[in-house]
DNA sequence: TAGGCCATCTGGTCCT
DNA sequence: AGGACCAGATGGCCTA
């Protein structure tokens, strides 16, 4: 602003105030959005960009459930939600859904991590490219659903109003019983 | 300490 | 003319 007149200055100050209010409105909307997505933390809220990414993944996951009329396994669900998220948020998600963070690595890191880290168990692994589960002993197509490793499923924070599809299941057995 | 995230300011553009 | 929206710049705070 070259013109330093009082009138111009007042205009600028008023515009700044409006811009501040506009950004506060945007942030409030983001706070509301955070309440409806299935990650909640006590001490640290999701960043703006991660909130938007996770919300998009969550909508996609819900749409998929509606389209297929099936609930995903926790590992599948975690994979859908973790798509494109940062390492930090992915770890947080893995922790909340009680799956191994290494199972949620993006394709590049997934392969770099060696496809099947251990052959000592019967754990099956979700392949992000093929969008299906493979087992260490039989890497051919697995048609029946796997038994994912985490015995407990996501328990929603009671202060969070979001309707996370898995929150109703409190144990692995209860989850399996639905099918 | 570098990098990520954020709030704020600012000037440009478009719309009413 | 004035408001809304946008993107770039800047500086502060926090964390790995």
């Amino acid at each position: 602003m070259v013109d330093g007149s009082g009138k111009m200055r007042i205009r600028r100050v008023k515009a700044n105030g409006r811009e501040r209010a506009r950004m506060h409105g945007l942030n409030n909307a983001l706070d509301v959005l955070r309440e409806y997505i299935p990650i909640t933390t006590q001490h640290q809220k999701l960043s703006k960009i991660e909130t938007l990414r996770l919300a998009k993944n969550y909508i996609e996951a819900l749409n998929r459930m509606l389209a297929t009329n099936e609930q995903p396994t926790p590992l599948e669900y975690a994979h859908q939600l973790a798509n494109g998220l940062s390492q930090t948020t992915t770890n947080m998600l893995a922790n909340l859904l009680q799956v191994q963070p290494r199972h949620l690595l993006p394709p590049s890191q997934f392969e770099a991590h060696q496809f099947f880290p251990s052959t000592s168990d019967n754990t099956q692994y979700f392949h992000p490219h093929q969008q299906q589960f493979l087992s260490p002993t039989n890497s051919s197509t697995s048609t029946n659903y796997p038994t994912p490793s985490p015995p407990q499923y996501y328990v929603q924070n009671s202060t969070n109003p979001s309707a996370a599809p898995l929150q109703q299941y409190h144990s692995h057995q209860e989850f399996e019983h639905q099918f």
Side-chain angles (χ1 to χ4, degrees), chain A residues 74 78 92-101 149-155:
Chain A
M92 195 190 301
L93 188 64
N95 186 44
L96 281 169
L97 294 175
Q98 299 187 17
V99 301
Q100 292 292 323
S149 46
Q152 297 287 323
Y153 289 104
Y154 180 30
V155 178

Side-chain angles (χ1 to χ4, degrees), chain A residues 37 51-61 83:
Chain A
I37 57 178
T51 299
L52 294 174
R53 285 177 180 143
L54 184 55
K56 169 252 185 188
N57 291 347
Y58 187 40
I59 291 168
E60 281 182 353
N83 180 31

Side-chain angles (χ1 to χ4, degrees), chain A residues 2-127:
Chain A
V2 180
D3 185 343
S5 73
K7 192 175 179 181
M8 289 295 283
R9 184 65 217 162
I10 289 170
R11 258 180 73 179
R12 190 62 259 176
V13 169
K14 284 170 73 175
N16 290 348
R18 283 194 305 272
E19 176 65 9
R20 229 178 295 132
R22 195 181 71 84
M23 294 309 294
H24 288 167
L26 188 59
N27 290 338
N28 288 341
L30 271 167
D31 285 338
V32 172
L33 182 60
R34 281 187 187 97
E35 295 175 3
Y36 285 87
I37 57 178
I39 273 194
T40 176
T41 55
Q42 274 78 14
H43 58 290
Q44 187 183 16
K45 67 180 182 184
L46 279 178
S47 71
K48 294 176 179 180
I49 185 70
E50 293 287 89
T51 299
L52 294 174
R53 285 177 180 143
L54 184 55
K56 169 252 185 188
N57 291 347
Y58 187 40
I59 291 168
E60 281 182 353
L62 294 179
N63 277 336
R64 198 172 305 184
M65 283 181 233
L66 284 174
T68 63
N69 205 28
E70 287 178 357
Q71 285 210 323
T73 66
L75 190 51
E76 283 178 301
Y77 183 51
H79 252 286
Q80 290 165 12
L81 294 186
N83 180 31
L85 298 185
S86 71
Q87 187 81 55
T88 305
T89 311
T90 299
N91 288 341
M92 195 190 301
L93 188 64
N95 186 44
L96 281 169
L97 294 175
Q98 299 187 17
V99 301
Q100 292 292 323
R102 62 187 164 91
H103 293 169
L104 302 181
L105 292 174
S108 57
Q109 295 177 50
F110 188 87
E111 262 131 31
H113 219 260
Q114 296 184 341
F115 197 75
F116 300 118
S118 165
T119 56
S120 61
D121 58 19
N122 291 324
T123 304
Q124 291 179 302
Y125 298 88
F126 190 80
H127 193 294

